[in-house]
Amino acid sequence: MSENSKIEWTDHTFNPWEGCQKVGPGCDRCYAETRNARFGGGVATNWGPGAPRRRTSPANWRKPLAWNAAHEKFFAAHGRRQRVFCASLADVFDNAVDPVWRADLFDLIERTPKLDWLLLTKRIGNVQKMVEAATCLSSLPDNVWLGATICNQAEADRDIPKLLEVPARVRFLSMEPLLGPVDLRNIEVPHENDQLRRTWDYKGYTFNALSEHDDDRFHQAPANIDWVIVGGESGHGARPMHPNWVRSLRDQCGAAGVPFLFKQWGEWGQYVNEDHYTHCDKELHAHAWVDSATGSHGKCWVVDDDGTWSNWTGDPPQGPGGSVAPSVAVMGWHGKRAAGRLLDGVQHDRFPFQHNRPGAK
């Protein structure tokens, strides 16, 4: 239930409890629900309205204490603090969770001040009231990074302003699975939002958000987000992601000076404006691959810029001069490992800058 994680943006995962319910399109193919069913004899016993959440063992709850105790060794090896993703199999701010469990979690977070806790939620509107109930404080502990899951423009418009209203040292977006194009640039932050004009004094370090951005940029979402993670969907039935959606977010982050991490393509990889590619050691045309391949590799989708996709069974749509139309991407089912995580040949692995973080010691 807690481990040294294979997730690219964290060092450990910690699940204080297991179970959740679906609240948006990004939840449609939830890997955690599938896992819950696999260990529940085919039934996801901890998923859905009214389903009980399952608290993990006392031994599991002791693991973050051991990670915290190992801070000096980790910092000497890596030059930074350890990141803990909480929770990969649940949502800390789920309404169905016992408030006592949440209070216990925040007590554990306070007892492990040398760890950076990454709390990612699909219920960002619950955070402020639940933090106050769990801690009797108006802001999150200094060692918490608060993230919101954003899958499309509607969620961005609705939830990013809520994220920015919560006092937190680091605020980030996990845009996985990315299901459509998202423009962050027109999501404005109210000018009179005092919670954003925040200054912290922490172990001899002073942090002033306004010092990072000029007035024009400060009141738009990208300049206030500390980190953006983007990834495609993986697992059975995964939906394809248009490369232009990712490129746009990469460029928005670059213009705003926001660290950008591209986690994965997911199951689908792109055949980008190419007449030929190699499959099973054979050089094929895209339409021949669609027509002749079998099994999982016989899938080919065309993803449109506007967020729609369709199963394609013929030649790729044509643009000027017979090229693949620029508004579409012909995507093939590669599998997560083969699809990889390179965007235009580059691996993007940026994290929030160290000078925005608490002192390491």
Short mmCIF file of all heavy atoms in Angstrom, two decimals, residues 125-186:
data_model
loop_
_atom_site.label_atom_id
_atom_site.label_comp_id
_atom_site.label_asym_id
_atom_site.label_seq_id
_atom_site.Cartn_x
_atom_site.Cartn_y
_atom_site.Cartn_z
N GLY A 125 -12.90 21.64 -4.18
CA GLY A 125 -13.82 22.50 -3.43
C GLY A 125 -13.99 22.08 -1.99
O GLY A 125 -14.49 22.87 -1.17
N ASN A 126 -13.59 20.87 -1.64
CA ASN A 126 -13.72 20.38 -0.26
C ASN A 126 -12.51 20.73 0.61
O ASN A 126 -12.57 20.60 1.84
CB ASN A 126 -13.86 18.85 -0.25
CG ASN A 126 -15.22 18.37 -0.70
OD1 ASN A 126 -16.16 19.16 -0.83
ND2 ASN A 126 -15.35 17.07 -0.94
N VAL A 127 -11.42 21.13 -0.01
CA VAL A 127 -10.14 21.18 0.70
C VAL A 127 -10.17 22.13 1.89
O VAL A 127 -9.83 21.74 3.03
CB VAL A 127 -9.00 21.56 -0.25
CG1 VAL A 127 -7.70 21.77 0.52
CG2 VAL A 127 -8.81 20.48 -1.31
N GLN A 128 -10.57 23.38 1.69
CA GLN A 128 -10.45 24.37 2.74
C GLN A 128 -11.22 23.97 3.99
O GLN A 128 -10.69 23.98 5.10
CB GLN A 128 -10.93 25.73 2.24
CG GLN A 128 -10.65 26.88 3.21
CD GLN A 128 -9.17 27.14 3.41
OE1 GLN A 128 -8.40 27.11 2.46
NE2 GLN A 128 -8.76 27.40 4.64
N LYS A 129 -12.47 23.58 3.83
CA LYS A 129 -13.29 23.24 4.99
C LYS A 129 -12.79 21.96 5.67
O LYS A 129 -12.83 21.85 6.91
CB LYS A 129 -14.76 23.09 4.60
CG LYS A 129 -15.06 21.97 3.63
CD LYS A 129 -16.54 21.94 3.25
CE LYS A 129 -16.84 20.82 2.25
NZ LYS A 129 -18.26 20.81 1.84
N MET A 130 -12.30 21.01 4.88
CA MET A 130 -11.83 19.76 5.48
C MET A 130 -10.50 19.94 6.18
O MET A 130 -10.24 19.30 7.21
CB MET A 130 -11.75 18.66 4.42
CG MET A 130 -13.10 18.17 3.95
SD MET A 130 -12.98 16.79 2.80
CE MET A 130 -14.73 16.37 2.59
N VAL A 131 -9.63 20.79 5.65
CA VAL A 131 -8.37 21.09 6.33
C VAL A 131 -8.64 21.79 7.65
O VAL A 131 -8.05 21.45 8.69
CB VAL A 131 -7.46 21.96 5.44
CG1 VAL A 131 -6.28 22.51 6.23
CG2 VAL A 131 -6.96 21.15 4.25
N GLU A 132 -9.54 22.74 7.65
CA GLU A 132 -9.87 23.45 8.90
C GLU A 132 -10.47 22.50 9.92
O GLU A 132 -10.16 22.58 11.11
CB GLU A 132 -10.84 24.59 8.58
CG GLU A 132 -10.20 25.71 7.78
CD GLU A 132 -11.20 26.81 7.41
OE1 GLU A 132 -12.40 26.66 7.75
OE2 GLU A 132 -10.78 27.80 6.77
N ALA A 133 -11.31 21.56 9.47
CA ALA A 133 -11.90 20.61 10.40
C ALA A 133 -10.87 19.63 10.95
O ALA A 133 -10.93 19.22 12.12
CB ALA A 133 -13.02 19.84 9.71
N ALA A 134 -9.89 19.25 10.11
CA ALA A 134 -8.91 18.25 10.51
C ALA A 134 -7.78 18.83 11.35
O ALA A 134 -7.20 18.12 12.18
CB ALA A 134 -8.32 17.57 9.27
N THR A 135 -7.46 20.12 11.14
CA THR A 135 -6.28 20.70 11.78
C THR A 135 -6.56 21.90 12.67
O THR A 135 -5.67 22.33 13.40
CB THR A 135 -5.28 21.16 10.70
OG1 THR A 135 -5.85 22.25 9.97
CG2 THR A 135 -4.94 20.03 9.74
N CYS A 136 -7.77 22.46 12.58
CA CYS A 136 -8.12 23.70 13.28
C CYS A 136 -7.26 24.86 12.79
O CYS A 136 -7.08 25.86 13.49
CB CYS A 136 -8.00 23.55 14.79
SG CYS A 136 -9.13 22.32 15.47
N LEU A 137 -6.69 24.73 11.57
CA LEU A 137 -5.88 25.78 10.97
C LEU A 137 -6.55 26.25 9.69
O LEU A 137 -7.35 25.54 9.07
CB LEU A 137 -4.48 25.25 10.65
CG LEU A 137 -3.65 24.75 11.83
CD1 LEU A 137 -2.35 24.12 11.32
CD2 LEU A 137 -3.35 25.87 12.80
N SER A 138 -6.20 27.44 9.24
CA SER A 138 -6.81 28.00 8.03
C SER A 138 -6.00 27.71 6.77
O SER A 138 -6.45 28.03 5.68
CB SER A 138 -6.98 29.51 8.18
OG SER A 138 -5.72 30.13 8.37
N SER A 139 -4.81 27.13 6.93
CA SER A 139 -3.98 26.83 5.77
C SER A 139 -3.36 25.46 5.93
O SER A 139 -3.29 24.91 7.03
CB SER A 139 -2.89 27.88 5.58
OG SER A 139 -2.02 27.90 6.70
N LEU A 140 -2.90 24.93 4.82
CA LEU A 140 -2.25 23.62 4.83
C LEU A 140 -0.89 23.70 5.51
O LEU A 140 -0.26 24.75 5.54
CB LEU A 140 -2.08 23.13 3.40
CG LEU A 140 -3.36 22.67 2.70
CD1 LEU A 140 -3.16 22.68 1.19
CD2 LEU A 140 -3.77 21.29 3.16
N PRO A 141 -0.42 22.59 6.08
CA PRO A 141 0.94 22.57 6.64
C PRO A 141 1.97 22.97 5.60
O PRO A 141 1.76 22.81 4.38
CB PRO A 141 1.11 21.10 7.06
CG PRO A 141 -0.28 20.60 7.31
CD PRO A 141 -1.14 21.31 6.29
N ASP A 142 3.10 23.48 6.04
CA ASP A 142 4.13 23.99 5.15
C ASP A 142 4.71 22.93 4.22
O ASP A 142 5.27 23.27 3.17
CB ASP A 142 5.27 24.60 5.96
CG ASP A 142 4.88 25.93 6.57
OD1 ASP A 142 4.09 26.66 5.94
OD2 ASP A 142 5.35 26.24 7.68
N ASN A 143 4.61 21.66 4.60
CA ASN A 143 5.22 20.61 3.78
C ASN A 143 4.22 19.92 2.87
O ASN A 143 4.44 18.79 2.43
CB ASN A 143 5.93 19.58 4.66
CG ASN A 143 5.01 18.92 5.67
OD1 ASN A 143 4.00 19.50 6.09
ND2 ASN A 143 5.35 17.71 6.09
N VAL A 144 3.11 20.59 2.55
CA VAL A 144 2.09 20.03 1.65
C VAL A 144 2.11 20.76 0.31
O VAL A 144 2.12 21.99 0.26
CB VAL A 144 0.68 20.12 2.28
CG1 VAL A 144 -0.39 19.83 1.23
CG2 VAL A 144 0.56 19.15 3.44
N TRP A 145 2.12 19.98 -0.76
CA TRP A 145 1.88 20.49 -2.11
C TRP A 145 0.47 20.08 -2.48
O TRP A 145 0.13 18.89 -2.42
CB TRP A 145 2.85 19.87 -3.12
CG TRP A 145 4.31 20.11 -2.88
CD1 TRP A 145 4.92 20.55 -1.74
CD2 TRP A 145 5.35 19.89 -3.83
NE1 TRP A 145 6.27 20.62 -1.91
CE2 TRP A 145 6.57 20.21 -3.20
CE3 TRP A 145 5.38 19.45 -5.14
CZ2 TRP A 145 7.80 20.11 -3.83
CZ3 TRP A 145 6.61 19.33 -5.79
CH2 TRP A 145 7.81 19.67 -5.14
N LEU A 146 -0.36 21.01 -2.86
CA LEU A 146 -1.76 20.72 -3.15
C LEU A 146 -1.98 20.70 -4.66
O LEU A 146 -1.64 21.65 -5.36
CB LEU A 146 -2.67 21.77 -2.52
CG LEU A 146 -4.17 21.60 -2.76
CD1 LEU A 146 -4.68 20.30 -2.16
CD2 LEU A 146 -4.93 22.80 -2.21
N GLY A 147 -2.59 19.60 -5.15
CA GLY A 147 -2.82 19.46 -6.58
C GLY A 147 -4.28 19.19 -6.89
O GLY A 147 -5.00 18.58 -6.10
N ALA A 148 -4.71 19.64 -8.08
CA ALA A 148 -6.05 19.36 -8.58
C ALA A 148 -5.92 18.59 -9.88
O ALA A 148 -5.08 18.91 -10.73
CB ALA A 148 -6.82 20.66 -8.81
N THR A 149 -6.76 17.57 -10.05
CA THR A 149 -6.81 16.83 -11.30
C THR A 149 -7.67 17.59 -12.30
O THR A 149 -8.82 17.94 -12.01
CB THR A 149 -7.38 15.43 -11.08
OG1 THR A 149 -6.54 14.70 -10.19
CG2 THR A 149 -7.48 14.67 -12.39
N ILE A 150 -7.12 17.85 -13.49
CA ILE A 150 -7.82 18.59 -14.54
C ILE A 150 -7.72 17.77 -15.82
O ILE A 150 -6.62 17.48 -16.29
CB ILE A 150 -7.18 19.97 -14.78
CG1 ILE A 150 -7.19 20.81 -13.49
CG2 ILE A 150 -7.88 20.69 -15.92
CD1 ILE A 150 -8.56 21.20 -13.00
N CYS A 151 -8.89 17.41 -16.40
CA CYS A 151 -8.90 16.58 -17.60
C CYS A 151 -9.32 17.32 -18.86
O CYS A 151 -9.02 16.88 -19.96
CB CYS A 151 -9.83 15.38 -17.41
SG CYS A 151 -9.28 14.24 -16.14
N ASN A 152 -10.03 18.43 -18.70
CA ASN A 152 -10.55 19.14 -19.88
C ASN A 152 -10.76 20.61 -19.51
O ASN A 152 -10.53 21.02 -18.37
CB ASN A 152 -11.84 18.49 -20.37
CG ASN A 152 -12.90 18.36 -19.28
OD1 ASN A 152 -13.02 19.22 -18.42
ND2 ASN A 152 -13.66 17.29 -19.33
N GLN A 153 -11.23 21.40 -20.48
CA GLN A 153 -11.39 22.83 -20.25
C GLN A 153 -12.45 23.13 -19.20
O GLN A 153 -12.29 24.05 -18.40
CB GLN A 153 -11.75 23.53 -21.56
CG GLN A 153 -11.74 25.05 -21.46
CD GLN A 153 -10.34 25.60 -21.27
OE1 GLN A 153 -9.45 25.33 -22.06
NE2 GLN A 153 -10.12 26.38 -20.22
N ALA A 154 -13.53 22.38 -19.20
CA ALA A 154 -14.60 22.62 -18.23
C ALA A 154 -14.09 22.46 -16.81
O ALA A 154 -14.41 23.27 -15.92
CB ALA A 154 -15.78 21.69 -18.50
N GLU A 155 -13.29 21.42 -16.56
CA GLU A 155 -12.73 21.23 -15.22
C GLU A 155 -11.73 22.32 -14.89
O GLU A 155 -11.66 22.77 -13.74
CB GLU A 155 -12.08 19.84 -15.12
CG GLU A 155 -13.09 18.71 -15.14
CD GLU A 155 -12.46 17.35 -14.88
OE1 GLU A 155 -11.20 17.25 -14.87
OE2 GLU A 155 -13.22 16.39 -14.70
N ALA A 156 -10.96 22.75 -15.88
CA ALA A 156 -10.00 23.83 -15.64
C ALA A 156 -10.71 25.11 -15.23
O ALA A 156 -10.32 25.77 -14.25
CB ALA A 156 -9.15 24.07 -16.89
N ASP A 157 -11.76 25.47 -15.96
CA ASP A 157 -12.50 26.69 -15.65
C ASP A 157 -13.15 26.62 -14.27
O ASP A 157 -13.20 27.62 -13.54
CB ASP A 157 -13.59 26.92 -16.70
CG ASP A 157 -13.01 27.22 -18.08
OD1 ASP A 157 -11.82 27.61 -18.16
OD2 ASP A 157 -13.74 27.05 -19.08
N ARG A 158 -13.61 25.45 -13.90
CA ARG A 158 -14.32 25.29 -12.63
C ARG A 158 -13.38 25.16 -11.43
O ARG A 158 -13.63 25.76 -10.38
CB ARG A 158 -15.19 24.03 -12.71
CG ARG A 158 -16.02 23.74 -11.47
CD ARG A 158 -16.60 22.34 -11.54
NE ARG A 158 -15.58 21.30 -11.46
CZ ARG A 158 -15.76 20.03 -11.83
NH1 ARG A 158 -16.91 19.64 -12.35
NH2 ARG A 158 -14.77 19.16 -11.71
N ASP A 159 -12.29 24.40 -11.59
CA ASP A 159 -11.52 23.98 -10.42
C ASP A 159 -10.23 24.75 -10.18
O ASP A 159 -9.76 24.82 -9.04
CB ASP A 159 -11.20 22.48 -10.51
CG ASP A 159 -12.44 21.63 -10.33
OD1 ASP A 159 -13.44 22.13 -9.78
OD2 ASP A 159 -12.41 20.44 -10.73
N ILE A 160 -9.62 25.32 -11.21
CA ILE A 160 -8.37 26.04 -10.97
C ILE A 160 -8.57 27.25 -10.07
O ILE A 160 -7.77 27.48 -9.15
CB ILE A 160 -7.68 26.40 -12.29
CG1 ILE A 160 -7.18 25.13 -12.97
CG2 ILE A 160 -6.53 27.36 -12.07
CD1 ILE A 160 -6.54 25.35 -14.33
N PRO A 161 -9.62 28.06 -10.26
CA PRO A 161 -9.83 29.16 -9.30
C PRO A 161 -10.00 28.66 -7.86
O PRO A 161 -9.53 29.31 -6.93
CB PRO A 161 -11.11 29.83 -9.82
CG PRO A 161 -11.11 29.54 -11.28
CD PRO A 161 -10.58 28.15 -11.40
N LYS A 162 -10.62 27.50 -7.69
CA LYS A 162 -10.77 26.94 -6.33
C LYS A 162 -9.42 26.55 -5.76
O LYS A 162 -9.15 26.77 -4.57
CB LYS A 162 -11.71 25.73 -6.37
CG LYS A 162 -13.14 26.04 -6.78
CD LYS A 162 -13.96 24.76 -6.85
CE LYS A 162 -15.37 25.04 -7.35
NZ LYS A 162 -16.17 23.79 -7.47
N LEU A 163 -8.57 25.95 -6.60
CA LEU A 163 -7.22 25.59 -6.15
C LEU A 163 -6.46 26.82 -5.70
O LEU A 163 -5.80 26.82 -4.66
CB LEU A 163 -6.48 24.88 -7.29
CG LEU A 163 -4.99 24.64 -7.09
CD1 LEU A 163 -4.74 23.66 -5.95
CD2 LEU A 163 -4.36 24.12 -8.38
N LEU A 164 -6.56 27.90 -6.48
CA LEU A 164 -5.78 29.10 -6.19
C LEU A 164 -6.30 29.86 -4.98
O LEU A 164 -5.61 30.73 -4.46
CB LEU A 164 -5.77 30.01 -7.41
CG LEU A 164 -5.06 29.43 -8.65
CD1 LEU A 164 -5.17 30.38 -9.82
CD2 LEU A 164 -3.62 29.10 -8.34
N GLU A 165 -7.49 29.53 -4.51
CA GLU A 165 -8.03 30.17 -3.31
C GLU A 165 -7.53 29.52 -2.03
O GLU A 165 -7.68 30.08 -0.95
CB GLU A 165 -9.56 30.12 -3.34
CG GLU A 165 -10.17 31.07 -4.38
CD GLU A 165 -11.67 30.91 -4.48
OE1 GLU A 165 -12.22 30.01 -3.78
OE2 GLU A 165 -12.30 31.66 -5.24
N VAL A 166 -6.93 28.33 -2.13
CA VAL A 166 -6.48 27.61 -0.94
C VAL A 166 -5.04 27.99 -0.63
O VAL A 166 -4.16 27.81 -1.48
CB VAL A 166 -6.59 26.09 -1.14
CG1 VAL A 166 -6.12 25.36 0.13
CG2 VAL A 166 -8.01 25.69 -1.49
N PRO A 167 -4.76 28.51 0.55
CA PRO A 167 -3.36 28.82 0.91
C PRO A 167 -2.52 27.54 0.97
O PRO A 167 -2.81 26.64 1.75
CB PRO A 167 -3.49 29.46 2.30
CG PRO A 167 -4.91 29.89 2.41
CD PRO A 167 -5.70 28.88 1.63
N ALA A 168 -1.54 27.45 0.12
CA ALA A 168 -0.64 26.30 0.07
C ALA A 168 0.69 26.75 -0.48
O ALA A 168 0.75 27.63 -1.34
CB ALA A 168 -1.23 25.20 -0.81
N ARG A 169 1.77 26.14 -0.01
CA ARG A 169 3.10 26.56 -0.44
C ARG A 169 3.32 26.25 -1.92
O ARG A 169 3.91 27.05 -2.64
CB ARG A 169 4.16 25.86 0.42
CG ARG A 169 5.56 26.39 0.15
CD ARG A 169 6.57 25.78 1.09
NE ARG A 169 6.28 26.11 2.47
CZ ARG A 169 6.56 27.28 3.05
NH1 ARG A 169 7.09 28.24 2.34
NH2 ARG A 169 6.28 27.49 4.30
N VAL A 170 2.89 25.09 -2.37
CA VAL A 170 2.99 24.70 -3.78
C VAL A 170 1.62 24.23 -4.23
O VAL A 170 0.98 23.43 -3.56
CB VAL A 170 4.03 23.58 -4.00
CG1 VAL A 170 3.96 23.05 -5.42
CG2 VAL A 170 5.44 24.09 -3.69
N ARG A 171 1.19 24.74 -5.39
CA ARG A 171 -0.08 24.31 -5.98
C ARG A 171 0.18 23.84 -7.40
O ARG A 171 0.86 24.53 -8.17
CB ARG A 171 -1.10 25.46 -5.95
CG ARG A 171 -1.60 25.73 -4.53
CD ARG A 171 -2.44 26.97 -4.45
NE ARG A 171 -1.64 28.17 -4.72
CZ ARG A 171 -1.99 29.39 -4.30
NH1 ARG A 171 -3.11 29.56 -3.63
NH2 ARG A 171 -1.23 30.42 -4.58
N PHE A 172 -0.36 22.67 -7.73
CA PHE A 172 -0.03 22.08 -9.02
C PHE A 172 -1.26 21.46 -9.68
O PHE A 172 -2.30 21.25 -9.03
CB PHE A 172 1.09 21.05 -8.88
CG PHE A 172 0.75 19.79 -8.12
CD1 PHE A 172 0.37 18.63 -8.79
CD2 PHE A 172 0.84 19.75 -6.73
CE1 PHE A 172 0.07 17.47 -8.09
CE2 PHE A 172 0.54 18.59 -6.03
CZ PHE A 172 0.16 17.44 -6.71
N LEU A 173 -1.12 21.18 -10.97
CA LEU A 173 -2.16 20.52 -11.75
C LEU A 173 -1.65 19.17 -12.21
O LEU A 173 -0.52 19.06 -12.70
CB LEU A 173 -2.53 21.34 -12.99
CG LEU A 173 -2.97 22.79 -12.78
CD1 LEU A 173 -3.30 23.42 -14.13
CD2 LEU A 173 -4.16 22.87 -11.83
N SER A 174 -2.47 18.15 -12.08
CA SER A 174 -2.22 16.86 -12.69
C SER A 174 -3.24 16.70 -13.81
O SER A 174 -4.41 16.44 -13.56
CB SER A 174 -2.35 15.71 -11.69
OG SER A 174 -2.20 14.47 -12.34
N MET A 175 -2.79 16.88 -15.04
CA MET A 175 -3.68 16.86 -16.20
C MET A 175 -3.56 15.49 -16.86
O MET A 175 -3.04 15.33 -17.97
CB MET A 175 -3.34 18.01 -17.13
CG MET A 175 -3.33 19.34 -16.37
SD MET A 175 -3.05 20.80 -17.37
CE MET A 175 -4.65 21.01 -18.12
N GLU A 176 -4.02 14.49 -16.12
CA GLU A 176 -3.95 13.10 -16.54
C GLU A 176 -5.17 12.33 -16.02
O GLU A 176 -5.41 12.37 -14.82
CB GLU A 176 -2.66 12.46 -16.01
CG GLU A 176 -2.49 11.01 -16.42
CD GLU A 176 -1.35 10.30 -15.69
OE1 GLU A 176 -0.71 10.93 -14.82
OE2 GLU A 176 -1.15 9.12 -15.96
N PRO A 177 -5.92 11.67 -16.91
CA PRO A 177 -5.73 11.67 -18.35
C PRO A 177 -6.20 12.97 -18.98
O PRO A 177 -7.25 13.50 -18.62
CB PRO A 177 -6.63 10.51 -18.81
CG PRO A 177 -7.75 10.50 -17.80
CD PRO A 177 -7.09 10.87 -16.49
N LEU A 178 -5.42 13.49 -19.91
CA LEU A 178 -5.81 14.70 -20.63
C LEU A 178 -6.77 14.28 -21.75
O LEU A 178 -6.39 13.55 -22.65
CB LEU A 178 -4.57 15.39 -21.20
CG LEU A 178 -4.81 16.74 -21.89
CD1 LEU A 178 -5.36 17.76 -20.90
CD2 LEU A 178 -3.53 17.25 -22.52
N LEU A 179 -8.01 14.77 -21.68
CA LEU A 179 -9.06 14.32 -22.59
C LEU A 179 -9.48 15.38 -23.60
O LEU A 179 -10.43 15.16 -24.36
CB LEU A 179 -10.28 13.87 -21.78
CG LEU A 179 -10.03 12.73 -20.78
CD1 LEU A 179 -11.31 12.40 -20.03
CD2 LEU A 179 -9.49 11.50 -21.50
N GLY A 180 -8.81 16.51 -23.61
CA GLY A 180 -9.15 17.56 -24.56
C GLY A 180 -8.20 18.71 -24.43
O GLY A 180 -7.37 18.77 -23.51
N PRO A 181 -8.29 19.68 -25.33
CA PRO A 181 -7.41 20.86 -25.25
C PRO A 181 -7.79 21.73 -24.06
O PRO A 181 -8.96 21.87 -23.73
CB PRO A 181 -7.68 21.58 -26.58
CG PRO A 181 -9.07 21.16 -26.95
CD PRO A 181 -9.22 19.75 -26.47
N VAL A 182 -6.79 22.32 -23.41
CA VAL A 182 -7.02 23.19 -22.26
C VAL A 182 -6.19 24.46 -22.43
O VAL A 182 -4.97 24.40 -22.63
CB VAL A 182 -6.66 22.51 -20.92
CG1 VAL A 182 -6.87 23.47 -19.76
CG2 VAL A 182 -7.49 21.25 -20.72
N ASP A 183 -6.85 25.60 -22.32
CA ASP A 183 -6.17 26.89 -22.34
C ASP A 183 -6.23 27.49 -20.94
O ASP A 183 -7.30 27.80 -20.44
CB ASP A 183 -6.86 27.82 -23.35
CG ASP A 183 -6.04 29.08 -23.64
OD1 ASP A 183 -5.21 29.46 -22.78
OD2 ASP A 183 -6.23 29.68 -24.71
N LEU A 184 -5.07 27.62 -20.32
CA LEU A 184 -4.99 28.15 -18.95
C LEU A 184 -4.94 29.67 -18.93
O LEU A 184 -5.12 30.28 -17.88
CB LEU A 184 -3.75 27.60 -18.25
CG LEU A 184 -3.62 26.09 -18.14
CD1 LEU A 184 -2.25 25.72 -17.59
CD2 LEU A 184 -4.72 25.52 -17.25
N ARG A 185 -4.72 30.29 -20.07
CA ARG A 185 -4.36 31.70 -20.07
C ARG A 185 -5.52 32.64 -19.78
O ARG A 185 -5.31 33.78 -19.38
CB ARG A 185 -3.74 32.06 -21.42
CG ARG A 185 -2.38 31.41 -21.64
CD ARG A 185 -1.94 31.51 -23.07
NE ARG A 185 -2.81 30.73 -23.95
CZ ARG A 185 -2.57 30.55 -25.25
NH1 ARG A 185 -1.49 31.09 -25.79
NH2 ARG A 185 -3.39 29.84 -25.98
N ASN A 186 -6.74 32.18 -19.95
CA ASN A 186 -7.89 33.05 -19.70
C ASN A 186 -8.61 32.73 -18.41
O ASN A 186 -9.73 33.20 -18.18
CB ASN A 186 -8.87 32.97 -20.88
CG ASN A 186 -8.28 33.55 -22.14
OD1 ASN A 186 -7.57 34.54 -22.10
ND2 ASN A 186 -8.55 32.91 -23.26
#
